[in-house]
Amino acid sequence: MAQDGLLLAVIADEDTITGFLLAGVGNIDTRKKSNYLAVDSKTSVRTIEASFKEFTMRDDIAVIMISQNVANLIRPAIEHHIKPIPAVLEIPSKDAPYDPNQDSLLKRVRIIFGSS
């Protein structure tokens, strides 16, 4: 586990990643593993899903923030993740607005509280 606490992981487009890195979120551990993945048109769905699964297995990550348009590419993997930590939060991207009807976390909250 990280000495200063748990990390935030980000899977998003390059501009979003750059913003988070400028805010100090970036981390590369001793194994040369980073806590972010910049996704562009050349990034394969397999690579995105592999990074997501890797982030969910790491014990030093508490939250995974993923652009909703990227999350839609790996929706089955996201919905299969049921552990509370790391929490998966879907965020808007510069290219696509946020749609609360597609957000897996919001869907779970609605089920728990019985609202539609």
Side-chain angles (χ1 to χ4, degrees):
M1 183 162 14
Q3 290 183 6
D4 294 345
L6 297 177
L7 300 173
L8 174 74
V10 185
I11 303 173
D13 60 89
E14 188 174 349
D15 290 341
T16 302
I17 295 292
T18 300
F20 278 102
L21 292 177
L22 289 171
V25 170
N27 183 65
I28 298 178
D29 66 14
T30 56
R31 298 169 294 151
K32 303 290 185 201
K33 296 285 186 178
S34 69
N35 64 330
Y36 56 89
L37 174 68
V39 177
D40 61 19
S41 61
K42 298 178 194 106
T43 308
S44 71
V45 173
R46 181 176 290 164
T47 300
I48 298 167
E49 190 168 344
S51 290
F52 176 78
K53 288 180 178 178
E54 177 187 331
F55 292 156
T56 62
M57 300 303 290
R58 286 177 50 178
D59 64 354
D60 61 340
I61 293 179
V63 177
I64 301 170
M65 297 184 79
I66 183 168
S67 294
Q68 193 172 59
N69 60 332
V70 175
N72 288 335
L73 298 173
I74 61 165
R75 182 66 57 198
I78 290 175
E79 290 180 356
H80 186 259
H81 175 71
I82 57 172
K83 295 189 298 186
I85 296 177
V88 179
L89 302 178
E90 295 181 29
I91 59 174
S93 71
K94 65 177 185 159
D95 298 326
Y98 172 77
D99 180 1
N101 294 321
Q102 294 181 2
D103 189 321
S104 60
L105 181 63
L106 190 55
K107 285 179 187 177
R108 290 179 188 171
V109 169
R110 286 180 177 159
I111 290 169
I112 291 169
F113 289 107
S115 61
S116 2

